[in-house]
């Protein structure tokens, strides 16, 4: 497609997903969550062992928010930088377990604490519930970094897909809300505009993993009304001013319909004077960093992402 050739391993993964889906037939939200969990369990590599992995709850705007803390070292020798992580899943799926391996790899590779946030999901909790939870979690983590064993001056933010959307929103809203700006943000094939009117969506209406009809299904569950599409808290690509944002890495896949909006966001940040690292894995599909038992290039991407994080933690 336009000079890109799909990774054969990604194609095998994508064909499997096509086999278990029927076009035009959608599961219930509960069934979709089970499907994603089963997919990750079957095709993700085991999480590396760490010095510490702990589940606990933190205060939220409505109810307590479950989080999971990852630490690659005992923390006795020095305090570690912190990465706040928001999982993907279309604002409907995903949890601490679906992204456990990825978060553990980021913690180990970047030499940082990772705090993964289990925000409320749609349709039970529609927009802006997930945003409110992620804002509250980021604020609490920044205020309690020392107690967690982290460095309060070195807090970064990250997320994939819907989680990349939420990370971008939190980063945009941090300073206006009176919170510290993260030292860096890592956006992994982020969903940044709910219009779905981009070149890559036009190229790939029947894309593997997240075809347009699946993205419309997610949007219908997450956004209570169409007017929310233009809200920058839902579509952060529509924010008027991106100046002052932290150093950013944007990762996209060549065969992912979210590719164009990720590239557009990277370009807008760059034009606003923000240091940007943009990386397109030309042969990859959506979800590729979470199915590394099959798609080995996911681990190559994770290595590049942790290198970016380490560099930002050192320079901050």
């Amino acid at each position: 497609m336009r000079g890109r050739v799909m990774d054969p391993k990604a194609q095998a993964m994508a064909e499997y997903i096509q086999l278990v889906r029927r076009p035009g037939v959608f599961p219930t939200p509960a069934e979709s969550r089970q499907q994603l969990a089963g997919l990750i369990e079957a095709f993700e590599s085991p999480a590396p062992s760490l010095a510490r992995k702990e589940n606990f709850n933190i205060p939220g705007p409505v109810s307590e928010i479950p989080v999971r803390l990852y630490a690659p070292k005992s923390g006795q020798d020095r305090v570690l930088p912190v990465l706040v992580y928001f999982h993907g899943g279309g604002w409907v799926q995903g949890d601490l377990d679906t992204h456990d391996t990825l978060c553990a790899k980021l913690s180990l590779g970047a030499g940082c604490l990772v705090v993964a946030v289990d925000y409320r999901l749609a349709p039970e909790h529609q927009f802006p519930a997930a945003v409110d939870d992620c804002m509250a979690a980021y604020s609490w983590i920044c205020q309690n970094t020392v107690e967690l064993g982290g460095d309060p001056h070195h807090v970064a933010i990250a997320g994939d897909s819907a989680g990349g959307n939420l990370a971008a929103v939190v980063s945009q809203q941090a300073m206006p809300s009176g919170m510290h700006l993260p030292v860096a943000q890592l956006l992994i094939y982020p969903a940044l505009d709910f219009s779905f009117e981009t070149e890559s969506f036009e190229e790939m209406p029947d894309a593997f993993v997240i075809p347009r009809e699946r993205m419309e299904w997610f949007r219908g569950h997450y956004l209570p009304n169409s007017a929310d599409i233009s809200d920058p808290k839902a579509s952060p690509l529509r924010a008027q001013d991106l100046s002052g944002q932290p150093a950013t890495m944007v990762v996209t896949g060549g065969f992912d319909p979210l590719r164009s909006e990720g590239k557009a966001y990277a370009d807008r940040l760059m034009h606003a004077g923000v240091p940007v690292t943009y990386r397109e894995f030309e042969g990859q599909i959506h979800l590729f960093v979470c199915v590394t038992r099959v798609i080995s290039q996911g681990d190559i991407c994770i290595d590049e992402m942790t290198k970016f994080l380490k560099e930002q933690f050192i320079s901050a």
Side-chain angles (χ1 to χ4, degrees):
M1 184 186 67
R2 299 202 174 190
R4 297 178 178 89
V5 178
M6 187 180 289
D7 174 9
K9 295 179 179 179
Q11 186 165 334
M13 181 79 246
E15 289 175 349
Y16 169 82
I17 294 173
Q18 294 294 87
L19 286 175
V20 300
R21 286 182 178 173
R22 293 167 54 194
V25 178
F26 298 100
T28 66
E31 289 169 343
S32 75
R33 292 163 192 161
Q34 292 173 352
Q35 289 174 0
L36 179 62
L39 183 75
I40 298 299
E41 183 178 3
F43 298 114
E44 177 63 296
S45 57
S49 59
L50 300 173
R52 180 183 171 200
K53 185 160 70 173
E54 178 185 351
N55 291 352
F56 56 96
N57 295 332
I58 64 176
V62 174
S63 57
E64 291 192 324
I65 303 170
V67 300
R68 180 172 294 169
L69 174 69
Y70 301 79
K73 303 177 182 179
S74 64
Q76 295 177 352
D77 51 346
R78 66 182 181 90
V79 293
L80 298 174
V82 179
L83 179 68
V84 182
Y85 196 88
F86 305 126
H87 67 77
W91 305 270
V92 174
Q93 310 163 309
D95 55 30
L96 298 178
D97 292 331
T98 57
H99 288 66
D100 183 66
T101 292
L102 175 58
C103 288
K105 288 178 177 178
L106 291 173
S107 175
L108 186 64
C112 67
L113 301 180
V114 171
V115 185
V117 179
D118 198 12
Y119 54 87
R120 287 174 291 165
L121 298 177
E124 296 89 345
H125 307 282
Q126 293 184 310
F127 173 81
V131 174
D132 293 342
D133 280 3
C134 292
M135 291 287 293
Y138 175 73
S139 177
W140 186 91
I141 293 163
C142 287
Q143 294 173 34
N144 293 272
T145 311
V146 174
E147 289 77 3
L148 296 175
D151 183 345
H153 304 293
H154 294 80
V155 180
I157 198 167
D160 65 294
S161 193
N165 168 286
L166 294 165
V169 170
V170 171
S171 187
Q172 288 181 11
Q173 298 296 318
M175 291 186 69
S177 300
M179 295 183 287
H180 290 296
L181 189 72
V183 298
Q185 62 177 338
L186 169 62
L187 309 179
I188 309 166
Y189 34 75
L192 300 167
D193 192 329
F194 271 106
S195 70
F196 309 147
E197 296 174 354
T198 64
E199 180 182 61
S200 53
F201 264 104
E202 292 176 0
E203 289 174 357
M204 298 175 277
D206 299 318
F208 294 125
V209 187
I210 50 169
R212 185 184 181 94
E213 65 174 14
R214 183 64 56 134
M215 289 300 295
E216 290 173 346
W217 184 80
F218 287 137
R219 180 175 64 188
H221 284 307
Y222 182 55
L223 297 184
N225 59 72
S226 59
D228 294 325
I229 292 174
S230 61
D231 188 334
K233 291 184 179 180
S235 297
L237 183 58
R238 302 195 180 201
Q240 292 186 356
D241 185 7
L242 295 179
S243 60
Q245 284 295 287
T248 302
M249 181 175 188
V250 179
V251 172
T252 63
F255 288 84
D256 185 342
L258 299 180
R259 183 193 72 230
S260 292
E261 59 206 79
K263 180 64 166 62
Y265 197 63
D267 288 344
R268 283 200 58 205
L269 287 168
M270 197 176 303
H271 292 154
V274 176
V276 175
T277 300
Y278 176 74
R279 179 69 161 98
E280 178 191 318
F281 284 80
E282 291 189 352
Q284 286 308 329
I285 58 174
H286 197 70
L287 194 68
F288 78 99
V289 301
C290 289
V291 287
T292 57
R293 182 177 288 176
V294 177
I295 302 179
S296 56
Q297 199 170 54
D299 279 326
I300 295 173
C301 178
I302 292 170
D303 287 343
E304 293 188 21
M305 295 190 298
T306 56
K307 179 182 178 182
F308 164 80
L309 290 170
K310 285 192 289 188
E311 290 173 349
Q312 300 309 314
F313 287 140
I314 291 171
S315 62

